[in-house]
Amino acid sequence: MMDQRWRPTVNEREFIEQALQSDLRVDGRRPFDFRKLTISFGREDGSAEVLLGETCVMGYVTAQLVQPYKDRPNEGTLAIFTEFSPMADPAFEPGRPGEAAIELGRVIDRGLRESRAVDMESLCVVAGKHVWSLRVDLHILDNGGNLIDAANIAALAALSTFRRPECTVGGDDGQQVTVHDPEVMDPLPLTIHHLPIAVTFAYFGDGNIMVIDPTYKEEAVMGGRMTATINSNGDVCAIQKAGGEGVMSSVIMQCLRIASVKAADITSKITTKVDQYTTEKALQKVKRTPASVAKEVNVPDVTMKESTHGALENQTSKALNDGQQISEDPPAVANDEKHEDAEPMLTESNPEVKIVSNSGSAGESDEVKESRSAESLIDAVKPKHKRKKKQHGKS
């Protein structure tokens, strides 16, 4: 329990109080400075770990379909659960939650639910029958002071990265709900309107000395504490002051102005970390093309070229075999070698070329053309050395 925690000696108490009167703190910070904040995320969506100085808190969000409340049939639910482990502080005992655990859960729950930071109506699947119920579990891993602020940041970071499964409504009566696997349909993020940031102030002496983010030792010496939950727009979401010395209204207004500045700073840090996490998760889903595919793309081109040459050879051999049948369109016999090389390309698929070649032999008679047509085509497709031997034999 918190009343069994470590208690400072008289000398330690006097040292801390005298240092605060000189605007100094034991860890070297100024009165209105936060400790180093580190936010990290787990492999699964909805898991976040926050390290605020020596205070470590892990938040985890889960969801399930439940029946809504009768007075709010179109809204989902949100619940905060805290777990104080003896590993975090020897004063914590396992079993039923103590007063500190209950107070921590209520402060965070009030800041999230009462300010309606999460859109509850977007969690409705079938009005009056099925809604999503969100559960935020906060595990205290190390108690270095100011558990409220660390747990609040952990809850916000976990909610910002949580993705609920996609579901569809169908069936004969239109009331059957089907929850799809994340691999089939992408999960949906939560609709979060703003981020309520909790800023805790500790008062010392007569309430004239106040500091932000008290440590474990400062909490043992402080005379009172107040937690203000404010978003980046400066809207006050909740204020919690549990016992302790009284504080003047002017001091409270000063605390709210300071908390507004700190809330904007912490909101930017959370947003930056969440954006980095979202980008990394998106890049992991993208299927990048390997570098070896660039070489494989050229293979079909080579094959197509080879098939083209093969088609030309088949076309030439077909013209050679059918040379006796093509007698109606006799090609002209040219004297130079250029025209002889062009003759194999004269097939039925090139009628325009045929017309040009027929016009070259206009001076010859039709009988001479018919007698020389078959022999000319056969000679044209033969190799040059055989054609030269044949011409030399004729001479």
Side-chain angles (χ1 to χ4, degrees):
M1 302 297 294
M2 298 296 292
D3 55 356
Q4 299 177 359
R5 61 180 304 170
W6 170 82
R7 295 184 179 183
T9 61
V10 176
N11 293 334
E12 290 175 339
R13 181 183 294 272
E14 292 180 355
F15 176 78
I16 294 174
E17 290 179 352
Q18 291 178 3
L20 291 174
Q21 292 177 359
S22 303
D23 291 339
L24 296 175
R25 304 177 72 171
V26 178
D27 54 2
R29 290 181 294 156
R30 305 296 296 177
F32 303 130
D33 292 343
F34 265 92
R35 291 172 291 178
K36 182 180 179 181
L37 176 62
T38 304
I39 303 175
S40 58
F41 301 98
R43 295 182 179 180
E44 299 181 0
D45 294 336
S47 176
E49 182 177 347
V50 173
L51 189 63
L52 183 62
E54 298 180 354
T55 303
C56 184
V57 180
M58 184 183 69
Y60 190 76
V61 181
T62 56
Q64 62 178 352
L65 287 174
V66 298
Q67 187 174 0
Y69 295 111
K70 294 182 180 181
D71 56 342
R72 293 182 178 180
N74 298 328
E75 296 183 2
T77 61
L78 174 65
I80 306 294
F81 294 89
T82 59
E83 180 180 353
F84 283 56
S85 173
M87 178 182 64
D89 193 334
F92 298 156
E93 297 180 357
R96 298 181 61 183
E99 295 180 0
I102 297 175
E103 180 185 2
L104 177 63
R106 287 180 177 177
V107 172
I108 299 176
D109 182 77
R110 185 183 299 112
L112 288 174
R113 286 198 305 112
E114 299 298 331
S115 64
R116 304 189 70 84
V118 181
D119 188 3
M120 295 300 178
E121 293 183 358
S122 63
L123 302 178
C124 178
V125 180
V126 179
K129 290 188 176 182
H130 299 287
V131 296
W132 286 104
S133 176
L134 302 180
R135 175 189 174 107
V136 183
D137 291 287
L138 300 174
H139 302 273
I140 310 301
L141 304 180
D142 194 359
N143 181 20
N146 194 13
L147 291 176
I148 296 177
D149 294 4
N152 179 79
I153 297 174
L156 293 176
L159 288 171
S160 300
T161 58
F162 177 72
R163 303 289 186 272
R164 65 173 180 84
E166 176 66 292
C167 58
T168 56
V169 181
D172 297 336
D173 55 352
Q175 303 293 325
Q176 183 178 359
V177 179
T178 302
V179 180
H180 300 279
D181 189 82
E183 297 180 357
V184 178
M185 299 184 67
D186 293 336
L188 300 178
L190 299 178
T191 303
I192 301 178
H193 300 298
H194 60 90
L195 299 179
I197 305 298
V199 181
T200 301
F201 295 86
Y203 299 98
F204 298 89
D206 297 334
N208 298 325
I209 301 175
M210 59 181 178
V211 297
I212 284 180
D213 186 21
T215 61
Y216 184 81
K217 293 182 179 180
E218 289 174 347
E219 287 183 345
V221 179
M222 67 182 182
R225 179 180 60 190
M226 185 187 74
T227 300
T229 304
I230 300 180
N231 58 18
S232 59
N233 300 325
D235 301 329
V236 179
C237 302
I239 295 179
Q240 171 75 11
K241 187 181 184 305
E245 299 179 356
V247 181
M248 297 180 62
S249 60
S250 59
V251 177
I252 294 178
M253 295 302 298
Q254 181 183 1
C255 293
L256 294 179
R257 288 192 294 267
I258 297 173
S260 178
V261 178
K262 297 300 179 180
D265 185 19
I266 296 176
T267 301
S268 63
K269 292 181 180 180
I270 296 175
T271 305
T272 302
K273 290 294 184 179
V274 171
D275 292 342
Q276 292 178 359
Y277 171 80
T278 306
T279 303
E280 293 176 358
K281 294 289 288 186
L283 291 176
Q284 292 177 0
K285 295 182 180 180
V286 175
K287 296 181 180 179
R288 295 187 175 182
T289 305
S292 60
V293 176
K295 298 181 180 179
E296 298 177 0
V297 173
N298 296 329
V299 175
D301 297 341
V302 178
T303 307
M304 292 175 63
K305 291 179 180 179
E306 294 177 357
S307 62
T308 305
H309 289 296
L312 291 176
E313 293 176 0
N314 295 335
Q315 186 176 6
T316 305
S317 61
K318 181 179 179 181
L320 178 61
N321 296 331
D322 299 339
Q324 300 295 337
Q325 300 177 1
I326 307 176
S327 59
E328 297 180 0
D329 299 322
V333 179
N335 295 328
D336 53 351
E337 294 181 358
K338 295 182 179 180
H339 289 157
E340 291 178 359
D341 296 338
E343 290 294 330
M345 300 299 295
L346 302 181
T347 58
E348 295 179 358
S349 61
N350 297 323
E352 298 180 358
V353 180
K354 290 180 180 180
I355 295 173
V356 175
S357 61
N358 291 337
S359 62
S361 58
E364 297 181 355
S365 61
D366 297 335
E367 297 178 357
V368 176
K369 291 180 181 179
E370 292 178 358
S371 61
R372 296 177 56 184
S373 60
E375 296 179 0
S376 301
L377 182 59
I378 296 174
D379 295 339
V381 298
K382 286 184 179 181
K384 292 182 179 181
H385 64 278
K386 292 184 179 181
R387 281 182 280 172
K388 291 181 179 180
K389 289 182 180 181
K390 184 177 181 180
Q391 293 176 3
H392 180 70
K394 290 182 180 180
S395 63

